[in-house]
Each structure stands twice: as C-alpha cells, then as structure tokens.
Amino acid sequence: MAQTMKDILNRMLNHEELSREEMKNILIGITQSEYPTEQITALLTALQMRGVTVDELLGFRDGILETGVPAVLDADRYIDVVGTGGDRKNTFNISTTSCFVIAGAGYKVAKHGNYAATSVSGASNVIQHHGIRFTDDIDRLNRSLNEAGIVYLHAQLFARAMKFVGPIRKVLQFPTIFNLLGPLVNPSQPQCQLLGVANLDQMRLYNQVYQKIGIDYGIVNSIDGYDEISLTGDFKVTTKQYERIFKPSDLGFEIAKPEELVGGATEDEAAAIFDSVLENRALPAQKNIVLANAAFGIQVLEKGEKSIEECIAIACESIDSGAALRTFKKFVELNS
C-alpha cells in the first residue's frame, strides 16, 4: 500500500488532481493504518499548498461517512446550521442558539458539532455545559428529534476516521482539508444546511460541493471575516436561488459592534449569553444576530419560497413567544 501512496505523492508534486474515488480510498486506508504518519503529513501539506478541489473534498467526505457511525433520523426534512470555524473571532454560540430558535419555530434540526477549536466555547461545550449527555443511540436521538424538534450529534461519536488524524493535525498547527470537512460530515446527512464561511474562496468551494451533493443550502460570510452573519457590516449570502450582498439595514437591523458578539473568556460566560438569547433578555445586537442567522436557515428550509422578512418574523416569534426556550428545556429534559 505504501507504494501507492508514493505514486500519489509523486502526482501531487506534479500538481495533478486526485479523483473522488482515490481520495475516498486513501481515507479508508488511513483508518486501516495502511500509511506511515510521515506520508499522511506530506499528503495533507501538499493538498493545503496546492488548494483542495471539489472532488478531493467529496472523496474524503465519502470516506468519513462510510467509515463512521450513521445517524438515520425519521424525519423527511431538517437542517443543520454550522460554521467552518477558524475565524478566530471568539463569538458566542451563534449557530447553536439559532438552531433552537429554528426548532422553536416548528422546524426540525439535526445539529452536528464538536468542542471548540479556536474559540472558548464550541457547540459541544455549550450543550454539555447544560448537563446534556452525548449519545449515538438512534432511538434516543429520534426521540429528541420527534419530541423536541431538535437532535444534537456530537462529532466524536460518529466520525471514527478523525481520531486517526487528530495527532497529525495537532502537530501541523495549520488548517488542513479536515477543517473543511467538519460541516460536510453530519452523520444524518441533512437535506438542508446553512453554512457560515470565513472567506469568499471557501464560499465558492462549498457552493460547488453542495451543488454536487444536491441539497438545499445557504452559505453566508460577513465581509469583515466572520464565519456567520455578524451584522457588523455587509454580508454575502449564496443559496440555490440567489447570490446577494446584504447590509444589516436591509433586514431592519442596526450595525452591531464586534465586542457585542464576543463569547466571553470562559465557558460559563458563553453559556450565559446563549441562555440570555433564548430567555429574550440578551443585548439587542445578540438577539438580532441570532435572528438573522436563524432566518436564513428558515429560508433554506422553505426552499427560498418565503422572503427574508417573513423568515425574520418567524424567528422573532420563536424567541418572543418563549417557544425557543421551551424547545431548549424539552431538549435538556430528554437528553440529560
């Protein structure tokens, strides 16, 4: 097998692209310990220097899903709201909070997440902080989806391949193809996704990826570098239906200050902001940011058939009526 990797590395040195099938087989080979660490390191470095193609990304995605634990949910249509991370802005848990607002509005959500990589509190940190026990028990997961409208899928229980590359990623200390894969390997393979990216190159890449996967999607990027709608300035949204740059005022929102998005210095502080939004006592900017992200998620679920103003009103009602908070309490009750 080592010979094959040697051939692959030689092709990489010649700036050749790898096929989706080749990449899938490499990923499976990594999980079967077929390659020495040095060769995997060389491959990840070469991919990063040259730039990853759509098929290469999809090949690794295929391999992770095939070697992982599937989560087969009994719902026809549900969404995941997720960011690529790595914008180093240490924002509060905007995507996770938005998920409970969407679920509170009566839609189904399958949130996939992990512990923080570059911020104080990732999705799994804030969920676990509230006493949630992570599980891959499909009956428990489906009960949560059916009764609370939302299920949480802790990445480490599902993507078995990741533990094989964890030590290498730590040592490399620069982003690799695996940083791009997180949003694409939700083990329930949702039909809808709202993805926040940190730059427009990533937006182009994921736009092509989603078109090939064939799901309904929205990709958002704040022009000043946030991997979500930050309302700190203009932001771009790309969906199946349109590509557009919005100003906060287009949605009826004030411009937010960067310090109003910060998730705090500790997990406790991040969890307190999360709670305050759902309890409708957050800073106006914090609430508005969650409303904006939830609204674009709702628009994806509605196949673009509702205007963004209608979707903001639906998200607003979810918080103002207490539905988002009731949804979260039910979720905690079912998953603790």
Side-chain angles (χ1 to χ4, degrees):
M1 244 0 223
Q3 177 59 30
T4 332
M5 183 58 98
K6 184 181 169 191
D7 295 340
I8 281 164
L9 290 173
N10 279 323
R11 285 173 52 201
M12 295 293 295
L13 290 173
N14 289 328
H15 305 286
E16 290 178 44
E17 294 177 3
L18 304 176
S19 73
R20 184 168 175 174
E21 189 64 20
E22 285 172 321
M23 288 293 279
K24 175 182 156 182
N25 291 333
I26 290 168
L27 192 282
I28 291 169
I30 289 172
T31 65
Q32 292 167 352
S33 305
E34 285 173 3
Y35 313 115
T37 301
E38 292 80 1
Q39 289 186 335
I40 302 170
T41 305
L43 175 71
L44 294 179
T45 306
L47 281 168
Q48 196 63 19
M49 288 175 74
R50 191 204 66 207
V52 176
T53 68
V54 171
D55 277 347
E56 286 166 349
L57 191 56
L58 284 170
F60 260 29
R61 174 184 186 261
D62 295 341
I64 286 176
L65 290 172
E66 188 168 307
T67 57
V69 178
V72 183
L73 301 178
D74 40 359
D76 292 336
R77 194 169 175 79
Y78 48 88
I79 194 166
D80 187 7
V81 182
V82 64
T84 51
D87 63 8
R88 303 201 179 273
K89 303 279 194 187
N90 192 31
T91 50
F92 72 94
N93 301 92
I94 295 168
S95 298
T96 310
T97 317
S98 302
C99 283
F100 285 97
V101 174
I102 294 170
Y107 301 93
K108 301 275 192 224
V109 178
K111 171 75 178 132
H112 180 234
N114 210 334
Y115 294 119
T118 55
S119 61
V120 168
S121 177
S124 290
N125 301 85
V126 77
I127 294 288
Q128 197 171 48
H129 190 90
H130 288 85
I132 305 304
R133 290 206 303 270
F134 301 133
T135 183
D136 59 2
D137 178 319
I138 199 64
D139 293 332
R140 284 190 61 191
L141 295 172
N142 271 313
R143 187 173 170 213
S144 183
L145 186 65
N146 292 326
E147 294 185 25
I150 184 166
V151 62
Y152 187 75
L153 305 166
H154 177 56
Q156 293 176 14
L157 295 180
F158 297 93
R160 290 183 174 150
M162 290 305 200
K163 69 170 184 282
F164 291 91
V165 292
I168 298 172
R169 292 176 70 194
K170 257 201 179 75
V171 170
L172 285 178
Q173 297 210 332
F174 57 75
T176 67
I177 185 172
F178 289 101
N179 295 67
L180 296 171
L181 280 164
L184 299 175
V185 293
N186 182 321
S188 72
Q189 297 189 45
Q191 310 78 0
C192 305
Q193 191 154 31
L194 184 74
L195 172 68
V197 295
N199 59 60
L200 296 176
D201 286 342
Q202 286 184 356
M203 184 173 266
R204 282 187 285 275
L205 177 68
Y206 284 109
N207 195 28
Q208 293 174 285
V209 166
Y210 284 133
Q211 284 171 1
K212 278 207 166 180
I213 299 173
I215 65 171
D216 291 322
Y217 64 91
I219 311 170
V220 303
N221 164 254
S222 291
I223 307 298
D224 53 1
Y226 286 91
D227 70 338
E228 51 226 338
I229 299 167
S230 63
L231 299 182
T232 48
D234 293 1
F235 59 94
K236 186 170 183 181
V237 180
T238 299
T239 73
K240 259 177 139 169
Q241 289 79 25
Y242 64 86
E243 189 169 310
R244 185 182 156 189
I245 290 178
F246 290 87
K247 293 178 160 38
S249 57
D250 295 336
L251 309 181
F253 294 134
E254 302 276 320
I255 290 183
K257 299 185 183 76
E259 58 268 25
E260 294 176 304
L261 280 74
V262 173
T266 63
E267 270 191 33
D268 286 346
E269 287 175 22
I273 298 171
F274 171 88
D275 292 344
S276 72
V277 176
L278 295 181
E279 290 166 7
N280 203 12
R281 51 178 183 78
L283 296 174
Q286 292 168 336
K287 179 180 178 180
N288 291 346
I289 288 155
V290 169
L291 289 176
N293 286 276
F296 281 97
I298 290 167
Q299 194 180 48
V300 171
L301 280 156
E302 293 284 0
K303 294 182 179 280
E305 286 164 16
K306 279 188 169 29
S307 72
I308 198 61
E309 291 75 17
E310 289 175 277
C311 297
I312 289 169
I314 292 168
C316 206
E317 172 67 13
S318 175
I319 293 181
D320 291 350
S321 68
L325 182 60
R326 285 193 297 278
T327 294
F328 181 63
K329 285 182 169 166
K330 183 72 183 168
F331 170 80
V332 173
E333 180 194 315
L334 289 171
N335 292 281
S336 295

